[in-house]
Amino acid sequence: MVLTREPTVAPSRRRTPWRALVILAGILVVLIGVRVATPGSGISLTDIAQDFVTLSLSVVIESLPFVILGVLISTVVQLWVPDRWFFAVLPRNGLLRRGVLSLLGVLLPVCECGNVPLARGLVVRGLSVPEAMTFLLAAPILNPITIVTTVQAFGWSDGIVVWRVLGGFLIANAVGWLLTRHPDPDSLLTPDFRAACAAHAHDVDDRAHRLRRGAGMVTAEMSAVLPALFVGSALAGLIQVAISREALVALGGDPVLSVLALMTLAFVVAMCSNVDAFFVLSLGSTFSPGAIVAFLVFGPMIDVKMLALMRTTFTARTLVVVTAVVALAVAALGLGLNLAR
């Protein structure tokens, strides 16, 4: 099975969400100004600048090794893994196929930011958009390193580990199923990426000079995802200095607002799923288990850095719909756990 889709829109110019990013950055700058101008805040622009640089760099440093690993694995999958090896183990039934792809994160323990280039490579090899999105949302949570660190942080009490794994699996597959209802799933990809898929389909049988081709693919992929990583990390830093963590923690006692607060925090801090359990552990005495689960499920699927990376592959409209569906499902999961206590 080899992808043969042709671009339906000429990639004459790269469509990037710069206008939206500029608007968001402007809003955050205003919020920062309000924080600085608040009487008695004791916050200076120098402090905010230092926090911004520290927070942004921490996201980049934490994510970069996984991005590189994801690009390398993606290149190996595209050039050296035969189709019969990869697709032979996947069921033909769509529901079962997406379920198996959800578990691929167990074999490829790459953080969510590294899964984006890997998912891009899988689409090039022939996976459909719903299948790739299912993998992309589920893999960071079903990553064995993520599961082990969550167990170490919370043990098996309150069902946090079970609901993180089960909730992540079910929500990812629900989103994948929803995308299969789209009349033209290929239109959910950006024109540039569709063009790259078509170009790969034309030369996929050329096995000469694989190392040279692999080096070119790594360079092209890094040039596509690194700018998105840097922009996403900068936005994460801006949001964190604009919105105080204390304001979010103050909402911890309400069963509804606590879930929304930790989902917002997960979106803001953009933390790798391999270590996010230890980060939120410090809030365990303030927030309910439902809110903790919402943090641990929503963050690996959707955060500001992840959206910037996913924008290299999927259209903005696609990401808005996916984000809304995931957010509603995670909020329902967290609220349900709170009300069931």
Side-chain angles (χ1 to χ4, degrees):
M1 177 179 176
V2 178
L3 186 69
T4 57
R5 51 172 74 104
E6 297 286 346
T8 58
V9 180
S12 57
R13 61 191 181 94
R14 184 178 300 273
R15 297 181 180 180
T16 54
W18 297 117
R19 182 177 298 179
L21 294 179
V22 169
I23 294 174
L24 177 58
I27 294 173
L28 295 175
V29 168
V30 172
L31 291 176
I32 291 173
V34 172
R35 286 196 67 191
V36 173
T38 301
S41 65
I43 302 175
S44 67
L45 284 175
T46 302
D47 295 334
I48 287 180
Q50 290 177 344
D51 289 343
F52 166 72
V53 172
T54 300
L55 293 169
S56 299
L57 285 179
S58 67
V59 175
V60 172
I61 293 172
E62 181 184 68
S63 306
L64 189 57
F66 295 102
V67 171
I68 295 173
L69 179 60
V71 169
L72 294 177
I73 294 177
S74 173
T75 302
V76 170
V77 168
Q78 293 182 60
L79 290 181
W80 279 279
V81 177
D83 288 342
R84 63 181 182 274
W85 290 6
F86 184 77
F87 292 103
V89 300
L90 294 177
R92 294 185 179 274
N93 178 273
L95 186 63
L96 294 177
R97 189 181 180 91
R98 292 189 297 274
V100 171
L101 287 168
S102 302
L103 303 176
L104 192 58
V106 176
L107 302 177
L108 300 172
V110 181
C111 193
E112 63 265 25
C113 40
N115 280 321
V116 173
L118 179 55
R120 287 165 60 91
L122 294 177
V123 173
V124 169
R125 287 304 299 269
L127 289 189
S128 67
V129 173
E131 291 167 352
M133 184 65 77
T134 302
F135 161 76
L136 196 56
L137 296 177
I141 295 176
L142 300 180
N143 179 333
I145 299 177
T146 299
I147 296 174
V148 169
T149 55
T150 307
V151 172
Q152 289 179 332
F154 294 98
W156 297 99
S157 61
D158 296 318
I160 290 176
V161 176
V162 173
W163 283 110
R164 181 181 202 186
V165 173
L166 184 60
F169 177 85
L170 294 176
I171 292 172
N173 279 271
V175 173
W177 174 84
L178 181 65
L179 294 182
T180 64
R181 317 317 295 171
H182 194 281
D184 183 18
D186 286 353
S187 66
L188 304 177
L189 300 170
T190 63
D192 287 337
F193 186 62
R194 276 181 281 163
C197 291
H200 177 87
H202 290 307
D203 65 3
V204 71
D205 291 328
D206 179 16
R207 301 304 182 187
H209 310 298
R210 285 188 177 182
L211 289 178
R212 186 175 65 184
R213 288 180 57 207
M217 291 170 63
V218 169
T219 302
E221 195 69 16
M222 293 294 287
S223 66
V225 299
L226 282 185
L229 173 64
F230 295 145
V231 170
S233 300
L235 284 176
L238 272 175
I239 293 172
Q240 289 184 76
V241 298
I243 304 174
S244 67
R245 183 183 174 191
E246 292 75 13
L248 293 174
V249 173
L251 305 174
D254 187 278
V256 177
L257 295 181
S258 62
V259 171
L260 299 179
L262 280 200
M263 288 176 61
T264 303
L265 185 62
F267 182 84
V268 167
V269 298
M271 184 163 292
C272 178
S273 61
N274 292 344
V275 296
D276 59 357
F278 292 112
F279 172 85
V280 77
L281 178 62
S282 61
L283 303 177
S285 59
T286 306
F287 286 84
S288 62
I292 299 294
V293 170
F295 177 94
L296 294 174
V297 174
F298 190 64
M301 290 185 171
I302 303 292
D303 62 37
V304 64
K305 164 180 55 63
M306 187 70 167
L307 286 179
L309 288 169
M310 292 170 69
R311 186 62 181 90
T312 63
T313 307
F314 303 100
T315 63
R317 180 175 297 180
T318 302
L319 296 182
V320 169
V321 172
V322 169
T323 299
V325 172
V326 172
L328 289 173
V330 173
L333 173 63
L335 180 59
L337 292 176
N338 280 346
L339 296 179
R341 288 177 58 81

